[in-house]
Amino acid sequence: MRKIKRFKIATRQKEILRKLLRTAEDLKQAGFEDEPALARFIAALAKELDPGTVYEFNQDAHWELDAATLVPKEMFSACAVTLGDKVERFLAQIDNPQRLILANTALYEFLRTAILFVTDLIKEQAAKEECDILDMQLVYAPALGVAAEPKLFREAVRLDKALADKTLPVLLEKLNSAKIDVSLQEGVLTPKATAVFLIPWQKKKKKGKK
């Protein structure tokens, strides 16, 4: 059950603006004259987004992952989500370190929104099969400069690094991640703003049963 999809996300620009204003120590140091200038920058960044995802449901076929307990053994969806490489080229032109921190902070927020969008799709898919989804397990999360990760990443269960390193290429192959131009190069995913994760499923408990 494979889904290959290019999609639009709600960019939540006002919410991101408020977050960046809390993050920024000095707007002028980051090259912004005022708050509207920062808002225009966020809007320009959003125009470069090209979100894509591939995700596939897997049941009782372990994909040769591993025997470690953190990897689901029964039902799960494996997912790769990216914001594309256009935004990466946009960021490559920024030479102001403070501005780059703000840009990467915004990028994390865009990626968070994209992941939640895909998670909602999987939740709907699971409900049709009379299943619930459990919390995601991160296999790969990008490091976007020195920008702070969003809460979604900080609090997520993460596969042990050694296990994740073994699991990641298997998942990318099974997902055919090239369909959204995602590839693994020397242990680093490109485009940079890409995350790979697992969403375990479980059968809904029938009423009256514990």
Side-chain angles (χ1 to χ4, degrees):
M1 191 187 307
R2 176 171 294 159
K3 303 290 184 183
I4 300 169
K5 191 177 181 70
R6 291 283 180 178
F7 58 94
K8 299 289 186 182
I9 60 171
T11 53
R12 302 167 33 249
Q13 292 181 32
K14 290 184 179 179
E15 182 180 336
I16 291 175
L17 175 61
R18 290 193 294 269
K19 182 178 181 67
L20 295 192
L21 288 172
R22 294 194 300 270
T23 301
E25 295 182 5
D26 187 337
L27 283 183
K28 290 190 176 180
Q29 189 177 6
F32 300 109
E33 285 298 318
D34 49 26
E35 183 177 321
L38 178 58
R40 290 192 295 272
F41 177 75
I42 296 170
L45 193 61
K47 286 182 179 179
E48 301 301 316
L49 300 177
D50 186 20
T53 182
V54 281
Y55 58 98
E56 185 172 346
F57 176 65
N58 181 60
Q59 182 174 10
D60 299 327
H62 300 166
W63 287 355
E64 301 176 1
L65 296 185
D66 199 271
T69 56
L70 275 179
V71 176
K73 295 302 185 301
E74 296 177 358
M75 299 184 295
F76 65 90
S77 289
C79 317
V81 177
T82 185
L83 297 181
D85 61 2
K86 288 172 57 182
V87 73
E88 197 168 313
R89 294 194 293 270
F90 182 91
L91 264 65
Q93 300 173 17
I94 300 174
D95 56 10
N96 180 313
Q98 296 303 317
R99 180 181 288 238
L100 191 57
I101 291 172
L102 295 179
N104 280 323
T105 300
L107 210 57
Y108 265 135
E109 292 300 316
F110 291 138
L111 185 57
R112 169 186 172 274
T113 299
I115 289 171
L116 292 177
F117 175 86
V118 173
T119 301
D120 283 344
L121 293 179
I122 294 170
K123 185 176 182 180
E124 292 175 8
Q125 181 180 324
K128 292 177 182 178
E129 303 295 332
E130 298 186 344
C131 292
D132 293 316
I133 63 170
L134 305 179
D135 293 338
M136 78 171 184
Q137 299 180 3
L138 272 175
V139 179
Y140 183 96
L144 301 179
V146 297
E149 289 184 326
K151 184 177 180 181
L152 177 70
F153 286 179
R154 294 196 309 270
E155 296 187 352
V157 173
R158 295 183 186 235
L159 265 62
D160 171 81
K161 186 178 186 307
L163 175 58
D165 288 346
K166 290 169 58 179
T167 302
L168 182 59
V170 176
L171 293 182
L172 295 179
E173 179 184 358
K174 297 296 184 181
L175 289 170
N176 196 4
S177 64
K179 291 286 187 180
I180 54 170
D181 302 318
V182 168
S183 62
L184 188 64
Q185 300 178 10
E186 297 183 356
V188 178
L189 275 190
T190 59
K192 186 176 292 186
T194 299
V196 179
F197 53 97
L198 305 171
I199 300 286
W201 293 32
Q202 69 176 12
K203 282 287 186 182
K204 289 184 177 180
K205 293 181 179 179
K206 293 183 179 180
K207 291 183 179 180
K209 290 190 177 182
K210 293 184 180 179

